[in-house]
Amino acid sequence: MKKYFAEFFGTFWLVFGGCGSAIFAANFPDLGIGFLGVALAFGLTVLTMAYAVGHISGGHFNPAVSLGLWAGGKFSSKELVPYIASQLLGAILAASFLFLIVSNKEGFESIGSFAANGYGTLSPGGYNLIAAFVAEFVLTMFFLLIILGSTSEKAPKGFAPIAIGLGLTLIHLISIPITNTSVNPARSMSQALFVGGEYLIQSWLFWIAPIGGAIVAGIIYNSLINKE
């Protein structure tokens, strides 16, 4: 159970810290942190929790990561369902707290986009479904390659969380204008459940594309890069 609690708390922190920075601080009058700040926030959530609980659960905090590690032969299939369930519960609870904070602001009327992911009219930059799918697929694939490589027994010890956190930061710097950056089905689902409407309808893409990219990365790493 310790592993599942670690995944629960790690994913909670990722959503609360990353999406929270986008909701509360990105456009704050005069002192907004902007895209760069939000990208750093997501990277820092993963970096900090990877050091805090990564030694317990492996620090996935993302259903796509769990499936990518499984495809790469580094994760047991019997652990997939409880890991993904723990990640989803952590993400949804974090979104619940974010909603509680937002809805208790003076003059509250709507949660707006709530840092949810989307394409087409819901894309920050107006990118269509094809652009969103390609971005999420490719970026998740490289995210998994970073994870698989930096956690390899042949890699320098103790630096994996830094590489992974910076990798996630770079991913956000690239794709916030495209989809508001997912590469994580739990992060996407938690926000879409609260904002609803078209965001919830479009949430399928933020399951299929990241999981597809992650599985391809696992296969590539296992069969080509890590091959003796």
Side-chain angles (χ1 to χ4, degrees):
M1 290 299 295
K2 288 196 298 183
K3 291 187 291 185
Y4 307 145
F5 278 118
E7 286 297 304
F8 173 88
F9 286 116
T11 313
F12 178 101
W13 187 234
L14 184 151
V15 171
F16 191 83
C19 294
S21 71
I23 293 167
F24 303 121
N27 298 312
F28 192 79
D30 302 327
L31 297 174
I33 62 174
F35 285 175
L36 176 59
V38 174
L40 283 170
F42 272 100
L44 288 170
T45 61
V46 170
L47 188 154
T48 51
M49 290 309 289
Y51 275 121
V53 300
H55 59 284
I56 299 172
S57 67
H60 300 187
F61 318 142
N62 180 339
V65 170
S66 296
L67 285 160
L69 292 174
W70 166 77
K74 289 197 170 186
F75 190 61
S76 169
S77 58
K78 68 180 181 181
E79 298 275 31
L80 278 173
V81 171
Y83 260 59
I84 292 172
S86 300
Q87 293 154 1
L88 283 169
L89 288 172
I92 292 169
L93 183 62
S96 301
F97 277 99
L98 292 174
F99 176 80
L100 185 63
I101 296 169
V102 168
S103 61
N104 277 280
K105 180 181 178 181
E106 186 176 349
F108 168 78
E109 294 181 359
S110 168
I111 60 173
S113 66
F114 205 53
N117 303 114
Y119 56 85
T121 57
L122 303 185
S123 160
Y127 292 87
N128 67 16
L129 186 155
I130 295 173
F133 188 94
V134 171
E136 291 290 329
F137 184 97
V138 172
L139 290 171
T140 312
M141 183 178 75
F142 275 89
F143 188 42
L144 262 293
L145 291 175
I146 292 168
I147 293 171
L148 287 161
S150 64
T151 57
S152 169
E153 293 180 357
K154 301 175 184 177
K157 304 301 179 186
F159 293 98
I162 297 173
I164 295 166
L166 289 176
L168 189 59
T169 298
L170 176 58
I171 285 167
H172 279 78
L173 289 173
I174 295 167
S175 60
I176 288 177
I178 304 171
T179 61
N180 215 20
T181 309
S182 171
V183 301
N184 186 336
R187 169 261 189 272
S188 295
M189 199 70 221
S190 65
Q191 305 308 115
L193 285 172
F194 281 85
V195 73
E198 191 67 21
Y199 284 103
L200 190 58
I201 294 171
Q202 292 187 4
S203 64
W204 67 268
L205 184 141
F206 303 104
W207 281 89
I208 300 297
I211 288 173
I215 289 175
V216 168
I219 295 170
I220 290 172
Y221 187 83
N222 201 33
S223 60
L224 298 177
I225 298 175
N226 200 41
K227 193 172 183 180
E228 294 294 340

